[in-house]
Amino acid sequence: MSDITYFLIAGAVMLFSLGIHAKLKSTYAKWGNTRNSAGITGAQAARGILNANSMPDVRLEAVPGELADHYDPRTRVIRLSASVYSVPRVAALAIAAHETGHALQDHQHYKPMALRAARPVP
């Protein structure tokens, strides 16, 4: 691959990534201020999904920062930003459900999750 092709591909990927990040931030800004009708926090939603799928061993933790939410398959911990963990907003439910989905994938031995965790599939 020539240098120019490499830079064109890298540039396109970077622009696409920046666009996705901007869209995520604007969507979060809109729905992060809208209270959900159930009045439940992201942590409550995540725990409810985990319990409904017989996964009480997955831990939930609050972490500092904004949009720092992630699931760690090595330690089986869902880490939610403080604004997601403890605030009853629409965005909190969506983010918590998304991260809990990663825990469900791990629990069901979804092969791409094993690659992400860099460990063998049982």
Side-chain angles (χ1 to χ4, degrees), residues 66-107:
E66 184 175 284
L67 299 176
D69 315 275
H70 64 281
Y71 170 65
D72 183 346
R74 294 167 303 204
T75 58
R76 297 181 47 93
V77 174
I78 298 172
R79 294 187 176 95
L80 300 173
S81 304
S83 61
V84 170
Y85 190 90
S86 60
V87 179
R89 302 287 186 240
V90 172
L93 296 183
I95 292 167
H98 174 87
E99 296 307 330
T100 305
H102 291 305
L104 289 168
Q105 290 172 331
D106 187 34
H107 181 71

Side-chain angles (χ1 to χ4, degrees), residues 3 6 11 15 21 27 29 31 35 48 58-60 67 72 74 79-81 86 88 92 98 105 109 114 117 121-122:
D3 286 347
Y6 171 80
L15 286 174
H21 183 72
T27 301
W31 295 104
R35 185 177 174 82
V58 176
R59 290 190 342 257
L60 296 170
L67 299 176
D72 183 346
R74 294 167 303 204
R79 294 187 176 95
L80 300 173
S81 304
S86 60
H98 174 87
Q105 290 172 331
H109 306 294
V121 176

Side-chain angles (χ1 to χ4, degrees), residues 5-24:
T5 304
Y6 171 80
F7 286 116
L8 286 173
I9 292 171
V13 169
M14 187 180 342
L15 286 174
F16 182 74
S17 177
L18 289 172
I20 295 293
H21 183 72
K23 178 65 175 166
L24 177 65

Side-chain angles (χ1 to χ4, degrees), residues 20-57:
I20 295 293
H21 183 72
K23 178 65 175 166
L24 177 65
K25 296 263 307 171
S26 71
T27 301
Y28 181 75
K30 176 182 178 181
W31 295 104
N33 293 318
T34 305
R35 185 177 174 82
N36 68 64
S37 61
I40 62 174
T41 66
Q44 290 169 321
R47 180 51 56 204
I49 295 168
L50 292 168
N51 289 347
N53 287 279
S54 301
M55 298 172 60
D57 57 319

